[in-house]
Amino acid sequence: MKILVVGGGGREHTIIKKLKENPEVEVIYALPGNGGMKDDAVCVPVGAKDLDGIVAFAKENAIDFAVVAPDDPLVLGCVDRLNEIGIPCFGPRANAAIIEGSKVFSKNLMKKYGIPTATYEVFEDMDAALAYVQDAPIPTVIKADGLALGKGVIIAMTRKEAEDAIVSMMQDKAFGESGSRVVIEEFLTGPEVSVLAFTDGKCVKPMVSSMDHKRALDGDQGLNTGGMGTVAPNPYYTEEIARECMETIFLPTVGAMNAEGRTFKGCLYFGLMLTPKGPKVIEYNCRFGDPETQVVLPLLESDLLTIMMATANGTLAETEVKFADRHACCVVVASGGYPQKYGSGYPMTLPETGKDEYIFVAGAKVQDGVLVTAGGRVLGAVAVEDSLADAVAHAYRIADKVEFENAYKRRDIGQRALAAKQN
Ligand code: AMP
Ligand code: GLY
């Protein structure tokens, strides 16, 4: 089979390596991919948002199955376009991808169908939003409506910060048109858990849970990033909580999307907070998370391509989705300065990887025959072990052998999870 994967980061590298385990796969094209995955896929310089380019390539190359991984092409309707020319895909159509594309949509969906989430108000008028935060409980959370590269969320610890956030989103357009509408919501507390789930619109098969580390610096300090590391499973996510989430969140969400005529197929990502009043949804994503995928898929024992095809065919109920009873840790190695200004083009030295070790490359390119950095998050160093402590130690042994100028990583990935296990 000829497979096309849209996207070019660490998540896509992970998906590609897993898809390759199926002997039916002859070739995987990554559009655009990156220089660090050249041994695993044929990288084609077509951007992930260039839907015309993607469709033309798929047609010319008689693609059998496509995986659309990032949020932008999903929200833009890449799956719809590929389906139109008869290519089956993994991923939701645009009318379902809106669950991530618009926070106003997702909040209203949860309210309408009684799915637990933070209480909220929506504002299109800046003065009304400013008036509202004069009396709102502080801290409060301000979110731009549309996609904002994961940066459109501000936790305001004071009224002044709330006012500044509203002005920067609604007047200064810090996140472009994404900020024309804002959601202002209740501040929730509790451990956060990421749960990715396969769904064909009928049944839901959750993957192993994970824990992201979003802040740039040790001790969860510094700016929010796309994610500096992950562990799976998440020790806070017990079997009892998993059962509760299935009943109160996962099945109701899939049912709500069907009732709205927006059947969701693909990977639905539930960003959850385990509050003192039970699990609540912080956000939905319409795709695999990154770097969550880098710890979740290495634990998958079943065949990924078979599962992906089943989500498209509506046969997920009969398809095995089994995870190893082991632990994985991913340490992101970034270019110093990320998520703000950072340098690029540094030659990289990568260690050889053996069994249960992976390097998933996110930001790299080949320049004059040499692999050099080409992004903020450069790669994820991943290890799988029988215990969380061993997985963390092993992932750091791999990450510490990665060399390039100004390489930066957090030193405490997994520590919070280890502490939770001991309590
Ligand atoms: P999001 O982009 O929606 O995932 O938000 C980014 C991060 O902001 C989340 O991972 C949470 O840590 C935090 N966050 C978002 N919404 C809330 C909320 N209502 N209460 C507390 N923290 C939140
Ligand atoms: N790591 C968070 C995300 O992929 O949205």
Side-chain angles (χ1 to χ4, degrees):
M1 286 180 71
K2 293 181 175 175
I3 313 284
L4 183 159
V5 174
V6 176
R11 163 183 55 206
E12 288 75 11
H13 196 188
T14 314
I15 291 171
I16 287 165
K17 270 199 193 279
K18 199 76 198 170
L19 287 173
K20 274 179 58 179
E21 291 177 8
N22 184 314
E24 302 277 307
V25 173
E26 295 158 51
V27 59
I28 303 181
Y29 297 102
L31 276 59
N34 77 61
M37 48 172 96
K38 64 179 188 329
D39 295 340
D40 298 305
V42 178
C43 297
V44 182
V46 173
K49 289 199 268 185
D50 175 4
L51 301 199
D52 291 339
I54 293 166
V55 169
F57 180 87
K59 212 175 193 172
E60 274 161 31
N61 292 277
I63 294 299
D64 297 298
F65 190 74
V67 177
V68 182
D71 45 1
D72 280 315
L74 289 166
V75 170
L76 289 170
C78 191
V79 169
D80 309 55
R81 292 281 306 274
L82 289 167
N83 284 169
E84 265 167 34
I85 58 164
I87 297 178
C89 293
F90 177 79
R93 299 171 73 107
N95 74 350
I98 191 175
I99 199 164
E100 173 170 4
S102 167
K103 295 214 192 284
V104 173
F105 171 86
S106 67
K107 295 297 292 190
N108 290 344
L109 184 86
M110 288 186 269
K111 187 190 262 180
K112 181 169 172 189
Y113 293 91
I115 298 164
T117 188
T119 55
Y120 71 102
E121 297 283 338
V122 178
F123 295 93
E124 295 187 14
D125 177 66
M126 187 171 77
D127 292 332
L130 288 170
Y132 176 80
V133 294
Q134 299 315 312
D135 301 319
I138 295 292
T140 189
V141 183
I142 325 265
K143 300 186 172 184
D145 177 36
L147 295 179
L149 293 171
K151 295 186 190 125
V153 174
I154 291 178
I155 315 281
M157 302 308 290
T158 63
R159 253 175 247 293
K160 171 85 174 63
E161 274 177 37
E163 289 166 10
D164 290 349
I166 291 167
V167 171
S168 93
M169 284 183 197
M170 300 190 83
Q171 181 172 298
D172 305 341
K173 301 276 183 217
F175 307 109
E177 283 311 309
S178 277
S180 309
R181 286 199 293 182
V182 299
V183 172
I184 302 185
E185 71 177 28
E186 173 196 9
F187 176 74
L188 299 177
T189 54
E192 279 187 65
V193 180
S194 306
V195 180
L196 319 182
F198 292 110
T199 177
D200 59 359
K202 294 186 275 189
C203 86
V204 181
K205 296 211 170 171
M207 300 178 223
V208 61
S209 62
S210 56
M211 181 190 285
D212 195 1
H213 297 67
K214 285 201 162 87
R215 300 296 194 99
L217 307 177
D218 285 6
D220 294 322
Q221 302 295 311
L223 295 171
N224 254 324
T225 69
M228 294 302 294
T230 36
V231 294
N234 184 320
Y236 290 104
Y237 193 71
T238 60
E239 273 178 36
E240 194 188 333
I241 292 175
R243 269 196 300 276
E244 185 178 354
C245 289
M246 181 60 98
E247 269 170 42
T248 63
I249 297 175
F250 306 160
L251 290 171
T253 301
V254 168
M257 291 298 277
N258 285 334
E260 296 291 310
R262 296 174 180 274
T263 296
F264 189 104
K265 296 180 177 199
C267 172
L268 189 48
Y269 169 130
F270 300 89
L272 306 173
M273 201 168 265
L274 308 181
T275 78
K277 291 187 185 156
K280 296 195 179 185
V281 177
I282 289 277
E283 64 162 345
Y284 292 116
N285 290 324
C286 64
R287 52 169 175 89
F288 281 102
D290 196 3
E292 287 87 342
T293 308
Q294 302 189 38
V295 284
V296 168
L297 290 187
L299 293 172
L300 178 64
E301 289 181 332
S302 314
D303 179 59
L304 181 61
L305 180 61
T306 307
I307 298 169
M308 286 183 156
M309 289 169 60
T311 67
N313 297 337
T315 52
L316 188 60
E318 302 97 81
T319 305
E320 181 197 73
V321 177
K322 189 162 172 274
F323 286 85
D325 189 12
R326 303 185 73 198
H327 296 261
C329 174
C330 167
V331 176
V332 169
V333 186
S335 189
Y338 171 79
Q340 290 176 298
K341 206 168 172 312
Y342 57 83
S344 281
Y346 304 126
M348 303 160 61
T349 313
L350 304 183
E352 289 291 316
T353 46
K355 191 173 176 313
D356 293 334
E357 300 183 328
Y358 307 87
I359 288 188
F360 298 123
V361 183
K365 66 178 180 188
V366 178
Q367 194 170 287
D368 303 328
V370 178
L371 191 65
V372 301
T373 69
R377 288 191 295 174
V378 174
L379 57 84
V382 176
V384 175
E385 290 279 0
D386 290 337
S387 78
L388 176 60
D390 287 346
V392 171
H394 191 166
Y396 271 105
R397 283 200 299 278
I398 305 169
D400 287 340
K401 285 188 209 142
V402 171
E403 287 178 14
F404 57 87
E405 196 177 317
N406 224 0
Y408 169 75
K409 53 192 169 284
R410 272 180 64 163
R411 295 277 5 153
D412 64 344
I413 302 301
Q415 292 308 317
R416 216 163 6 108
L418 283 168
K421 271 182 119 55
Q422 275 150 17
N423 287 328

